[in-house]
Amino acid sequence: MKKLLLLTIAFLSYYQAESQILTGTLVDSGRKLLTTGDKFTLSNTIEGTVVVELAVNREGIVTGTKIIGEQSTIKSTPSRMKAENAAKKLTFTAGTRYAPFEHVRVKYTYSKAAN
């Protein structure tokens, strides 16, 4: 019973931490997000989302980013750049068994700042 409870807690915490990582070859290969404290939520004067596609090398470092306009609801260039800059700071599992470059899409959610 204790094992089941621990397994459930571990799954739920993993699910919430990875909830903004959408899809990509990086996810398919089983790589994990190592950056801690990133909640994928940014404050702004408007609400919406920005989806960023990342290129990640074998060392787990983001080497390139691209905004996916058709999946993003925010059109403001400064807001898009803020999400893109936050995505560039992410790190993932490293390893030589992974492809030289893998891609993943992440979603940043903007919410109105509390006054």
Side-chain angles (χ1 to χ4, degrees):
M1 183 65 178
K2 286 183 182 181
K3 288 182 182 180
L4 180 61
L5 179 61
L6 290 175
L7 183 62
T8 303
I9 291 171
F11 175 75
L12 290 176
S13 64
Y14 169 76
Y15 176 76
Q16 289 181 357
E18 300 285 324
S19 63
Q20 298 301 311
I21 295 179
L22 303 177
T23 184
T25 57
L26 185 136
V27 174
D28 296 340
S29 67
R31 294 174 80 172
K32 306 287 184 221
L33 176 67
L34 299 178
T35 307
T36 57
D38 198 326
K39 295 183 172 57
F40 298 100
T41 304
L42 304 169
S43 61
N44 202 346
T45 57
I46 57 175
E47 293 182 346
T49 59
V50 175
V51 176
V52 184
E53 184 166 348
L54 312 175
V56 180
N57 65 14
R58 284 185 174 148
E59 288 77 37
I61 299 169
V62 175
T63 59
T65 60
K66 179 176 96 173
I67 301 291
I68 307 301
E70 60 270 6
Q71 292 182 355
S72 301
T73 59
I74 296 203
K75 303 301 179 198
S76 163
T77 300
S79 296
R80 285 180 167 207
M81 288 180 66
K82 186 176 179 182
E84 200 169 15
N85 289 336
K88 289 177 183 178
K89 297 176 185 174
L90 298 177
T91 56
F92 296 87
T93 308
T96 56
R97 70 173 191 245
Y98 301 119
F101 289 96
E102 294 185 315
H103 294 89
V104 65
R105 289 187 180 184
V106 295
K107 179 174 74 173
Y108 283 90
T109 303
Y110 280 89
S111 60
K112 290 187 178 181
N115 295 333

